[in-house]
Amino acid sequence: MKEISDLHGVGKQLAKCLARLGITEVQDLLFHLPLRYQDRTHLQMIRDLKDGDEAVIEAVISAVIHPPRGRTKLLCELRDETGKLYLRFFHVLSFQTTILKVGTRLRCYGSVRLGQKGMEMFHPEFQVIAEGKSLPIEPHLTPIYPATEGLSQYRLRKLTTQALSWSTEKDALTDCLPAALMKNLALPNLHDALHFVHRPPRDTAISQLIENKTAAQKRLIFEELLAHRISLLQLKHSFQQQKSVSLEINQTMMQVFLQHLPFQLTTAQTRVLSEIHADLMKSQPMLRLIQGDVGSGKTIIAALAMLQAVANGHQAVIMAPTELLAEQHYKVMQRCFAPLAIQVALLSGQIKSRSAILKSIANAEAQIIIGTHALFQQKVDFAKLALIVIDEQHRFGVEQRASLREKAQKNYYPHQLMMTATPIPRTLAMSLYADLDCSTIDELPPGRTPVITSVMSSHKRDDIIARVREACQQGRQVYWVCPLIEESEAMACQAATTTSQSLTQLLTDIKIGLIHGRMRAQEKEIVMRAFQAGEIHLLVATTVIEVGVDVANASVMIIENAERLGLSQLHQLRGRVGRGSTVSYCILLYQYLSEIAKERLAVMRDTTDGFKIAQRDLELRGPGEVLGVRQTGELSFKVADLLRDRDILAEVNQAADIFMRDHAENIPALIARWIGRDGDYG
Ligand code: ADP
Ligand code: MG
């Protein structure tokens, strides 16, 4: 491998800058792909320039004006045969002032604006043209690269030019993908693809490049998706080499548990449970993701999985993203496990009897442990941990999940069960979660009445308040949600507080409660308990209630600023109502509706199917925001985009299997190239 310092002009300082971008070998430069392109392939006459154009001109400096104050400012007047134009510099370097003299001929590239004096360019890139000489016109579109401080586009272009000429040498660059496959897909080889994206010929349509529609880009996208898929499959493979405790299914205990439930499992729940049981009996770790819409009954499945750990003399832990949810799980679990005399413990951030609980976890007295991120802390020692359940897994980062895993028994990996209510389309799930086995609870428990959703302007607040009064007088309970997500947590709490005050003044005959993330666990608990008991009719809340909260009598939800929330989040919130047998209502209030916001809220009005909502959310916002950390943090792509490129995912998955079978020797090179040499996923 040729090192970056082998290139001309790369000293210590520059090598450091490049390393910041992850570039240490010459090859890395080739996989440092342009963000966008500029067209500098033809000169324009000043007369033809329009406000907003990006243009290349050639002209002579006809005047240089230094404003009296602020000596670093500079204004140059330029003329070509057709007109004049001004260059404005706010910070000129001293070498520039010596160059920018009357009579100097310049080629400038920059964006044009109509200023006070006429057409202007701010801080253009420029080159001096020596007397009697001419500069060649660029034969290629100009790439713009991701850069960093101390590294200019000009430098990056010079360096990539060197790297490209190196790649032309025999055997310099290995093409990992088999030629036959590329031929089948009508895609170019690696060398040609890289040359094209770094230096697109001048007649290439920029729009095609921006949309990543050129064959060269498609080839790179394919290769990148393949690299990701293979790295995830390898991760899975290495995980399967680990040892776990095999957990036998205890039918007797399970019967007792089920007999005490007030309902029967749905067909979907039963199916998913049997998939989990099959995993738990193996002596290699389970790594399974349960997808299931809000209210599909994931908690009870988690409890049944945990039961098997306890039945075999081990401990199981469930981790929830909020205190409120952890407390609710605690109550559910206490109730479920009481008939079997199984000990359930809650360890959240704010619990008082911490040391006693820690002790019971360390001496195996506590069999089922429920907690929040507090579980990650060093001090928590598990005696015999065999199963980890992570609820709302998309809320946790990889490191958090990994640190919990380290708490397992020596030499044994815990089984892991992850749960998410963000359903995603199948092919996407296969790519994103290639390292996990997936189960889907695709059925809601019977007897649920769909929520009727309407979208209204916040101008109608008075009407809505009247409706809320009416609902409360009829014995219903209401959630009033104030999201304000852009501002801080503190601001959100403030907004909820103000709203609850104004509602208290307007609805004097109604009991109003307030809950937000800044309250202490105990305070929240008191409010939630009062709401559950029907002592509070109207609960004003921030999105803390988004996950988990379960009050069957609550049948109306008002969501303010609904246009600011993602569809999946709205869907989660709305899942808090419609849990009983009466008809429920959800009113989405907006302040301002853009076209796209209108479309999104219409989706909420028209369907309650979590899968459909997720699909639309994905189309309207892109997977990054929908899937949260996994897309943005754990999986970040250079050229690929799971949503845009979803049509080729199936092909990629198929190619990955063939590749791993027939070309395994190329895997390390492929992964080093696209994912990094230190294995980001490790
Ligand atoms: P989620 O999948 O959103 O986490 P939960 O596990 O909180 O959903 O379940 C929602 C509600 O449905 C709970 O009150 C739970 O007791 C109830 N539930 C779960 N399974 C069933 C079932 N098979 N029949 C009836 N109700 C059920
Ligand atoms: Mg849940």
Side-chain angles (χ1 to χ4, degrees):
M1 269 305 126
K2 203 166 149 117
E3 296 302 313
I4 196 76
S5 50
D6 296 341
L7 293 182
H8 272 296
V10 181
K12 270 214 175 101
Q13 201 60 37
L14 188 54
K16 239 191 218 164
C17 282
L18 289 165
R20 274 211 297 275
L21 295 173
I23 301 169
T24 55
E25 291 175 7
V26 176
Q27 185 189 220
D28 299 336
L29 268 173
L30 296 173
F31 289 90
H32 189 66
L33 299 169
L35 287 172
R36 57 193 178 87
Y37 299 89
Q38 290 172 342
D39 184 358
R40 306 183 183 185
T41 61
H42 51 274
L43 284 181
Q44 272 182 269
M45 292 294 144
I46 290 178
R47 182 181 56 202
D48 301 332
L49 297 179
K50 291 185 303 292
D51 191 36
D53 280 354
E54 299 227 322
V56 191
I57 55 153
E58 264 183 32
V60 177
I61 298 180
S62 48
V64 178
I65 307 138
H66 284 279
R69 252 176 301 166
R71 265 180 294 165
T72 59
K73 278 191 186 173
L74 188 70
L75 183 68
C76 291
E77 185 192 80
L78 256 64
R79 284 176 193 271
D80 69 5
E81 303 87 84
T82 67
K84 59 181 181 177
L85 172 143
Y86 295 89
L87 305 187
R88 267 187 201 282
F89 296 91
F90 294 107
H91 301 281
V92 275
L93 305 171
S94 61
F95 87 91
Q96 291 176 320
T97 30
T98 55
I99 294 174
L100 298 169
K101 290 266 159 60
V102 173
T104 310
R105 192 173 180 79
L106 296 178
R107 179 178 298 174
C108 301
Y109 178 84
S111 50
V112 178
R113 345 182 334 159
L114 185 58
Q116 287 168 331
K117 291 175 167 260
M119 289 300 174
E120 299 180 348
M121 278 186 181
F122 282 25
H123 281 264
E125 279 184 45
F126 65 85
Q127 279 174 284
V128 176
I129 306 172
E131 197 75 44
K133 291 268 167 68
S134 65
L135 282 178
I137 284 290
E138 303 261 337
H140 305 295
L141 298 178
T142 306
I144 306 293
Y145 294 102
T148 180
E149 212 179 302
L151 188 62
S152 66
Q153 291 297 330
Y154 179 77
R155 267 281 174 73
L156 276 165
R157 285 202 297 275
K158 285 271 183 213
L159 291 170
T160 44
T161 302
Q162 287 188 62
L164 286 166
S165 87
W166 164 79
S167 75
T168 317
E169 288 169 22
K170 196 172 172 297
D171 298 331
L173 193 67
T174 329
D175 194 336
C176 295
L177 302 193
L181 175 65
M182 290 299 97
K183 202 167 161 212
N184 264 347
L185 298 168
L187 295 176
N189 68 34
L190 181 63
H191 173 274
D192 295 353
L194 286 173
H195 275 256
F196 186 94
V197 297
H198 284 283
R199 300 292 180 267
R202 56 188 294 187
D203 56 356
T204 314
I206 288 196
S207 61
Q208 291 273 306
L209 283 166
I210 289 172
E211 290 169 32
N212 289 278
K213 282 191 172 152
T214 65
Q217 288 163 310
K218 282 188 190 159
R219 141 90 207 209
L220 297 176
I221 288 166
F222 192 91
E223 185 170 332
E224 182 172 36
L225 289 171
L226 189 71
H228 276 266
R229 167 98 185 155
I230 290 174
S231 82
L232 285 175
L233 290 176
Q234 281 200 319
L235 193 68
K236 179 174 188 174
H237 183 74
S238 71
F239 191 72
Q240 284 169 341
Q241 306 302 308
Q242 307 283 343
K243 277 228 150 314
S244 280
V245 196
S246 152
L247 301 171
E248 291 301 320
I249 307 310
N250 188 321
Q251 295 292 349
T252 324
M253 286 176 93
M254 193 164 90
Q255 285 319 315
V256 175
F257 184 100
L258 290 174
Q259 270 161 21
H260 285 87
L261 283 184
F263 49 75
Q264 292 212 308
L265 296 185
T266 61
T267 316
Q269 284 172 318
T270 308
R271 188 193 63 238
V272 170
L273 184 63
S274 65
E275 288 165 356
I276 294 169
H277 280 168
D279 286 351
L280 291 177
M281 285 195 284
K282 294 186 192 152
S283 55
Q284 55 181 213
M286 165 170 80
L287 194 54
R288 187 170 284 281
L289 176 73
I290 305 183
Q291 294 189 64
D293 211 346
V294 222
S296 61
K298 295 184 288 293
T299 317
I300 219 67
I301 297 304
L304 280 156
M306 294 166 91
L307 175 63
Q308 300 314 322
V310 175
N312 287 265
H314 297 274
Q315 290 170 306
V317 56
I318 179 167
M319 186 165 67
T322 64
E323 306 260 335
L324 201 58
L325 194 54
E327 284 153 28
Q328 190 172 290
H329 281 337
Y330 179 54
K331 270 178 234 152
V332 171
M333 303 280 167
Q334 269 187 319
R335 213 183 314 130
C336 296
F337 288 112
L340 290 159
I342 291 172
Q343 292 305 309
V344 182
L346 173 68
L347 186 76
S348 66
Q350 286 140 320
I351 217 92
K352 275 207 207 102
S353 48
R354 241 185 113 72
S355 59
I357 290 170
L358 285 172
K359 206 167 135 203
S360 74
I361 295 174
N363 67 19
E365 215 171 277
Q367 296 165 292
I368 301 277
I369 297 111
I370 295 148
T372 56
H373 49 272
L375 285 167
F376 303 130
Q377 286 170 0
Q378 294 290 308
K379 279 195 205 133
V380 188
D381 273 323
F382 293 88
K384 303 183 84 178
L385 183 60
L387 170 66
I388 295 172
V389 182
I390 296 173
D391 196 13
E392 311 289 341
Q393 67 90 29
H394 57 284
R395 297 261 183 140
F396 294 98
V398 237
E399 321 78 41
Q400 288 179 307
R401 299 198 299 251
S403 68
L404 196 54
R405 195 162 59 219
E406 275 146 27
K407 298 198 178 293
Q409 311 170 45
K410 275 216 170 55
N411 307 326
Y412 282 104
Y413 241 63
H415 295 285
Q416 280 183 75
L417 186 63
M418 288 169 259
M419 307 200 287
T420 179
T422 308
I424 52 174
R426 207 181 110 77
T427 39
L428 210 55
M430 276 176 72
S431 301
L432 208 56
Y433 300 125
D435 54 334
L436 314 180
D437 295 308
C438 291
S439 297
T440 309
I441 307 183
D442 51 6
E443 174 188 5
L444 291 181
R448 302 267 167 89
T449 33
V451 181
I452 298 169
T453 302
S454 45
V455 177
M456 285 184 189
S457 157
S458 55
H459 293 132
K460 299 240 179 91
R461 221 177 137 97
D462 290 347
D463 297 353
I464 289 154
I465 290 171
R467 273 178 72 177
V468 166
R469 173 182 285 126
E470 210 175 297
C472 291
Q473 281 163 350
Q474 288 167 4
R476 294 159 177 251
Q477 285 171 281
V478 180
Y479 291 106
W480 190 295
V481 187
C482 311
L484 271 177
I485 44 155
E486 264 115 0
E487 287 82 8
S488 65
E489 166 91 5
M491 300 274 288
C493 299
Q494 179 60 45
T497 310
T498 316
T499 304
S500 87
Q501 282 162 354
S502 75
L503 288 174
T504 307
Q505 275 167 12
L506 290 166
L507 298 165
T508 44
D509 46 343
I510 284 167
K511 274 260 186 233
I512 298 179
L514 169 67
I515 192 161
H516 59 66
R518 291 223 146 179
M519 285 161 61
R520 286 189 301 148
Q522 243 176 351
E523 299 173 305
K524 280 191 279 192
E525 165 91 33
I526 291 168
V527 175
M528 271 328 285
R529 200 167 273 175
F531 191 59
Q532 230 143 15
E535 290 153 16
I536 288 174
H537 307 124
L538 172 62
L539 183 63
V540 180
T542 58
T543 46
V544 291
I545 59 151
E546 179 194 339
V547 281
V549 185
D550 203 20
V551 178
N553 189 47
S555 59
V556 179
M557 174 175 279
I558 321 284
I559 305 177
E560 291 203 76
N561 299 110
E563 77 273 23
R564 298 211 212 164
L565 291 172
L567 289 186
S568 298
Q569 208 180 2
L570 285 171
H571 180 61
Q572 293 261 325
L573 278 169
R574 183 171 62 181
R576 301 302 115 216
V577 292
R579 299 195 152 222
S581 47
T582 49
V583 182
S584 292
Y585 298 91
C586 177
I587 300 168
L588 304 174
L589 291 182
Y590 62 87
Q591 239 147 17
Y592 166 75
L593 267 195
S594 66
E595 272 312 303
I596 211 161
K598 197 183 278 177
E599 229 182 291
R600 288 177 33 199
L601 295 188
V603 174
M604 290 304 296
R605 195 186 53 215
D606 298 342
T607 180
T608 51
D609 178 330
F611 264 95
K612 280 193 196 135
I613 289 172
Q615 175 72 45
R616 288 297 287 144
D617 204 14
L618 225 45
E619 287 162 10
L620 294 167
R621 290 200 306 165
E625 288 183 72
V626 180
L627 305 170
V629 70
R630 194 157 177 102
Q631 171 70 4
T632 50
E634 296 179 40
L635 284 184
S636 52
F637 294 98
K638 292 183 211 246
V639 274
D641 176 322
L642 283 179
L643 181 63
R644 183 195 64 211
D645 306 323
R646 63 187 184 277
D647 293 346
I648 62 166
L649 291 176
E651 243 164 357
V652 169
N653 294 350
Q654 211 180 4
D657 293 340
I658 298 170
F659 194 89
M660 288 171 79
R661 194 189 62 209
D662 299 341
H663 304 279
E665 70 283 359
N666 281 341
I667 290 176
L670 185 71
I671 288 179
R673 211 167 255 180
W674 291 101
I675 291 151
R677 275 172 290 273
D678 26 80
D680 288 344
Y681 295 151

mmCIF file of all heavy atoms in Angstrom, residues 298-299 391-392, ligand 2:
data_model
loop_
_atom_site.group_PDB
_atom_site.id
_atom_site.type_symbol
_atom_site.label_atom_id
_atom_site.label_comp_id
_atom_site.label_asym_id
_atom_site.label_seq_id
_atom_site.Cartn_x
_atom_site.Cartn_y
_atom_site.Cartn_z
ATOM 1 N N LYS A 298 -45.417 -5.952 23.159
ATOM 2 C CA LYS A 298 -44.041 -6.438 23.197
ATOM 3 C C LYS A 298 -43.590 -6.742 24.621
ATOM 4 O O LYS A 298 -42.814 -7.668 24.856
ATOM 5 C CB LYS A 298 -43.093 -5.403 22.560
ATOM 6 C CG LYS A 298 -43.355 -5.189 21.071
ATOM 7 C CD LYS A 298 -42.363 -4.241 20.443
ATOM 8 C CE LYS A 298 -42.553 -2.792 20.839
ATOM 9 N NZ LYS A 298 -43.789 -2.180 20.339
ATOM 10 N N THR A 299 -44.111 -5.964 25.584
ATOM 11 C CA THR A 299 -43.647 -6.101 26.957
ATOM 12 C C THR A 299 -43.841 -7.515 27.491
ATOM 13 O O THR A 299 -42.960 -8.087 28.136
ATOM 14 C CB THR A 299 -44.401 -5.105 27.876
ATOM 15 O OG1 THR A 299 -44.473 -3.857 27.199
ATOM 16 C CG2 THR A 299 -43.697 -4.937 29.201
ATOM 17 N N ASP A 391 -35.509 -2.277 25.495
ATOM 18 C CA ASP A 391 -36.770 -1.763 24.979
ATOM 19 C C ASP A 391 -36.486 -0.467 24.222
ATOM 20 O O ASP A 391 -35.612 0.294 24.608
ATOM 21 C CB ASP A 391 -37.733 -1.498 26.146
ATOM 22 C CG ASP A 391 -39.169 -1.328 25.661
ATOM 23 O OD1 ASP A 391 -39.445 -1.653 24.486
ATOM 24 O OD2 ASP A 391 -40.017 -0.890 26.466
ATOM 25 N N GLU A 392 -37.232 -0.240 23.166
ATOM 26 C CA GLU A 392 -37.040 0.965 22.349
ATOM 27 C C GLU A 392 -35.568 1.108 21.993
ATOM 28 O O GLU A 392 -34.928 2.126 22.242
ATOM 29 C CB GLU A 392 -37.525 2.213 23.104
ATOM 30 C CG GLU A 392 -38.905 2.110 23.710
ATOM 31 C CD GLU A 392 -40.037 2.125 22.682
ATOM 32 O OE1 GLU A 392 -39.812 2.572 21.547
ATOM 33 O OE2 GLU A 392 -41.138 1.664 23.016
HETATM 34 MG MG MG B 2 -43.429 -0.833 24.788
#
